């Protein structure tokens, strides 16, 4: 283990504004300095650098495995949607129209029909399903695609709201409303579990209010996560589309009674905004902390003073090969100073680093440092693999537990509107009885800045809880308890 | 093993025109019926169905492993390129301009600057590199992205030439022309090996003539494959860009002498047209044949007459689980008739199927059928895994060897122009001494329909070979021997 003077940090830390000083500046500093993004040449466009794309590739890999067990088949749909095809579902086009990037010409030639860059692909899948499905024997169809989509947002924020983002969108067709509704809920629960088990992010599963649901859906389920500043981040959605697309797009099938019916559909997705969720759930003033199960690099191996002892490089290589059999490992054998190397590993959020230097090697030891707690520990080389296996799991659990504790502590139940306003101002998640009308939601948003995040599936209503809508002018009876919060 | 009457084929075969009757109709029938594509809603747009996207995902997976060993880092760049950024490199924009899908408005609002959907991303990478590179210490940079690109081709053909396609594009910066040139060649050789080892496709590695090189490149290397009809398919390219982009885009670095220099660049890519190459290299009149190493499903397990013997499903499941530990396996336990199941497996090109029926099970046996030769074989269950391991390797080798033999047999050396025309008319690859002027190439294309495919790296020139350009009106002395062929 090396003392602080030798291990003095490079200037990296100075690049990141402390989150207590300015949370949004902290966030921007973290994404710019963690090998995560560069800005693209047009406003709101983003370059995913190796560290952020690496996280996304890991999410893809792990989610694909889970999808496969559910019978999901991956496909790839075209980027461009003809205007006439988009216009068939009225609520859908109304919701997306202002954000549609529109191709009108090729070279110098003006096209006879406008083409929209997909903001989502319901209408493309609808058109495919119409041509693919004949009878109940062809159902269910469970398709998914990993793709880029474009939505021309007015305000942008890296990962959270960019004009182009990456996502997966699942699209399914079923023989009955029951089966489709069940699948909608199954997918939102799948996302919730995935975030818990892979991203170490706890979420609240719920249904969106009518005002917040997806344009074209019958109902929208969501998982809502709490960021370190108390704001909510919608982290995945699953929509029950009913026959809202199958009717205008004529996706018919012969049911078991040999009668025509329209299919019942779902769609569901997660996006690269999950990378933003990771940063704001786990990050600290040294940068992002990547949970081990989706970290592109799980372990950084740092050679320390390799120029003073040829043994360092030799042992480092051996450890690199050995750990590489079980973990995703990177070896830094550059001749940069140890402080710079450590700091570089930290700012990129690598969960664990192994420092290999001459002094430790005298005792057949190396030093390991966890990114989440920054705790150092000297470990015998022969115990290294076993110890790392334990610590990586412990890092995951620690990240999850801290986030869960925060979510629990900062979620409050309120039945009085003044108290509601106070708690929203404190950046809490506030659960409250609510009538779910659009008008009431608008009032709350205007007066507090909060939006309805969801109607949690687990309502946990105690008998003493009021069931009158929290808005003083409303006070209608309601059975629904809704979570409000400021949100990204 | 079941006799032909029981195993009689479903109607699937009727869907595919024999390749001897009409090769291009055969191709279209194969892609439409093998769970490979559906047409999208705009002309020339394609839907990648599970089987073709599955092949592409396998190509991604295996190539990513190879790239990683070369230090390639994956990134993701924006879809849209502002006109002003594109216009900086004149030859590049001139080459791509007529094919650029152009976004001019969002919602009802006309944009102040046109945005092009990327046809390739040299200029986006150039803009990023300019901002990322300071000194020789930052070099080399070896980036790659997997992405969709749009080129508005006039004539389209599934996989081979579609207006949107998927690809990977690598972009690198180096300190010297020597290093960059070496890397350009390294990548084309990597592609050639990849096609041999994973797609079982032999290729000829060569350099493009000036007329055929990439717009903006100093030199372009290519791998050319021969399809079953004798036509060539360009299957991967690697470009040495020299300083053609680094100068107009000002990608400077301080070299070791602390002097400013512009970086030396390369770019290289393969696309989803490789799926077309697979079909036309290995396919037969029953459809696509997918080489085992990139087959999304390597083994189809078919339950035969499971309703007559409960043992069938039991053993099938056991075999499915056991083989699943080593191979990519699919279990068809539907109650469709055996002929339909077999035919369905064949048309989708699954390399091997295992048929499990009551009669074979009496002897603890199952029947395996290879897709390439359609040979059947009865195998003891306890020997199954071992036998399949051998057969899958043998299928790969057999596919490669047949393709290699065809390529060798149908490549001829010619020094007389009349003979040249005759051999081109016979759909051969014709190697000939050639002056490499644009004008001479145009003459050949007009008179024969053939284009210069490449100047092979291995020239294999014997002393007696003429070194006068084949064009009768030219007859200039040349050291270059060029392959001509009709091409996709």
């Amino acid at each position: 283990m090396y003392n602080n003077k030798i291990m003095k940090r490079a200037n990296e830390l100075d690049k990141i504004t402390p989150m207590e000083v300015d949370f949004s500046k902290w966030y921007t500093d973290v994404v710019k300095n963690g090998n995560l993004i560069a800005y693209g040449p047009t406003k709101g466009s983003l370059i995913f650098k190796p560290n952020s794309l690496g996280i996304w590739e890991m999410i893809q890999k792990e989610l694909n495995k889970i999808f496969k067990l559910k019978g999901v088949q991956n496909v790839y749909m075209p980027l461009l949607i003809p205007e006439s095809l988009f216009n068939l579902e009225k609520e859908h086009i109304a919701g997306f129209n202002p954000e549609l990037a529109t191709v009108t010409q090729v070279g110098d030639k003006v096209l006879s029909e406008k083409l929209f860059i997909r903001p989502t692909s319901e209408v493309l899948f609808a058109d495919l399903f119409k041509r693919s499905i004949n009878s109940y024997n062809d159902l269910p169809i469970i398709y998914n695609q990993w793709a880029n989509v474009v939505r021309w947002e007015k305000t942008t924020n890296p990962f959270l709201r960019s004009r182009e983002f990456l996502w997966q969108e699942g699209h399914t067709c079923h023989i009955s409303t029951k089966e489709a509704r069940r699948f909608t809920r199954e997918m939102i629960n799948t996302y919730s579990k995935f975030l818990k088990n892979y991203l170490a992010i706890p979420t609240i599963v719920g249904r969106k209010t009518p005002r917040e649901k997806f344009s074209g859906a019958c109902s929208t389920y969501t998982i809502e996560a709490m960021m370190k500043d108390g704001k909510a981040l919608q982290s995945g959605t699953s929509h029950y589309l009913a026959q809202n697309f199958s009717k205008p797009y004529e996706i018919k099938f012969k049911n078991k009674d040999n009668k025509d019916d329209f299919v019942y559909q779902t769609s569901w997705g997660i996006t690269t905004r999950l990378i933003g969720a990771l940063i704001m759930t786990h990050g600290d003033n040294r940068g992002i902390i990547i949970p081990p199960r989706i970290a592109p690099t799980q372990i950084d191996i740092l050679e320390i003073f390799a120029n003073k002892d040829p043994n360092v490089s030799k042992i480092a290589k051996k450890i690199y090969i050995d750990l590489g059999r079980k973990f995703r490992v990177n070896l830094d054998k550059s001749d940069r100073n140890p402080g710079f190397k450590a700091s570089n590993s930290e700012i990129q959020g690598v969960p664990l680093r192994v420092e290999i230097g001459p002094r430790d090697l005298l005792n057949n030891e190396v030093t390991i440092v966890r990114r989440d707690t920054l705790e150092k520990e000297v470990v015998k080389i022969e115990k290294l693999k076993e110890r790392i296996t334990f610590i990586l799991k412990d890092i995951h659990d620690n990240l999850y537990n801290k986030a869960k504790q925060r979510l629990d502590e900062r979620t409050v139940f309120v039945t009085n509107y003044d108290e509601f306003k106070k708690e929203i101002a404190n950046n809490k998640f506030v659960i409250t009885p609510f009538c779910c009308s659009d008008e009431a939601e608008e009032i709350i948003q205007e007066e507090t800045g909060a939006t309805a995040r969801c109607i949690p599936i687990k309502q946990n209503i105690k008998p003493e809880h009021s069931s009158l809508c929290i808005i003083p002018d409303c006070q209608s009876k309601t059975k629904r308890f809704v979570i409000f919060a400021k949100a990204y």
Side-chain angles (χ1 to χ4, degrees), chain A residues 83 86-87 90-102 114 116 119 151-152 215:
Chain A
E83 186 177 27
F86 211 113
N87 282 343
K90 299 303 169 196
E91 186 182 324
H92 190 59
I93 181 78
F96 282 105
N97 195 41
E99 298 177 0
L100 294 175
T102 309
K114 287 180 190 167
F116 301 130
R151 297 177 187 179
W152 218 256
S215 312

Side-chain angles (χ1 to χ4, degrees), chain A residues 205-225:
Chain A
V205 181
R207 200 155 42 83
K208 286 287 184 192
T209 56
R211 185 172 178 244
E212 293 279 336
K213 78 172 174 57
F214 176 71
S215 312
C218 171
S219 57
T220 289
Y221 291 85
T222 177
I223 46 173
E224 300 284 327

Side-chain angles (χ1 to χ4, degrees), chain A residues 328-339:
Chain A
R328 296 180 291 279
V329 187
N330 180 49
L331 174 60
D332 184 348
K333 44 183 184 177
S334 71
D335 56 5
R336 288 175 161 138
N337 79 63

Side-chain angles (χ1 to χ4, degrees), chain A residues 16 18 33 129 136 166 183 211 225 235 243-244 274 280 318 321 332 339 403 411 433-434 443:
Chain A
I16 297 180
N33 291 298
F129 291 146
Y136 70 92
L166 304 177
F183 201 80
R211 185 172 178 244
S235 303
Q243 295 173 317
N244 293 355
L274 284 180
M280 292 195 291
K318 235 172 127 179
I321 290 170
D332 184 348
T411 302
F434 184 63
I443 291 170

Side-chain angles (χ1 to χ4, degrees), chain A residues 326-427:
Chain A
K326 186 163 179 188
F327 307 104
R328 296 180 291 279
V329 187
N330 180 49
L331 174 60
D332 184 348
K333 44 183 184 177
S334 71
D335 56 5
R336 288 175 161 138
N337 79 63
F340 179 90
K341 288 185 183 190
S343 161
N344 189 45
S345 175
E346 286 176 6
I347 205 166
Q348 298 203 32
V350 176
L352 195 79
R353 68 177 187 264
V354 179
E355 298 175 355
I356 302 175
R359 209 186 309 159
D360 287 341
L361 284 187
L362 292 177
N363 306 316
N364 281 318
E365 290 170 342
V366 295
T367 300
I368 57 181
V369 187
R370 4 182 338 165
R371 175 63 184 88
D372 60 338
T373 59
L374 300 169
E375 281 166 353
K376 291 193 171 200
E377 178 180 335
V378 176
V379 181
K380 289 276 176 210
I381 291 175
E382 77 258 27
K383 295 273 183 196
L384 189 59
K385 210 163 174 178
E386 188 189 335
R387 186 65 190 146
I388 285 180
T389 304
F390 174 82
I391 291 183
L392 288 181
K393 183 179 180 317
D394 197 57
I395 292 175
H396 177 91
D397 294 344
N398 177 47
L399 290 174
Y400 179 78
N401 291 336
K402 279 202 291 192
K404 181 75 169 72
Q405 193 185 348
R406 187 174 62 242
L407 175 62
D408 291 344
E409 285 173 4
R410 299 187 67 161
T411 302
V412 294
F413 186 89
V414 155
T415 55
N416 168 293
Y417 193 49
D418 285 334
E419 221 178 311
F420 177 94
K421 287 197 253 188
K422 203 186 78 195
E423 295 292 15
I424 291 293
N426 286 335
N427 295 318

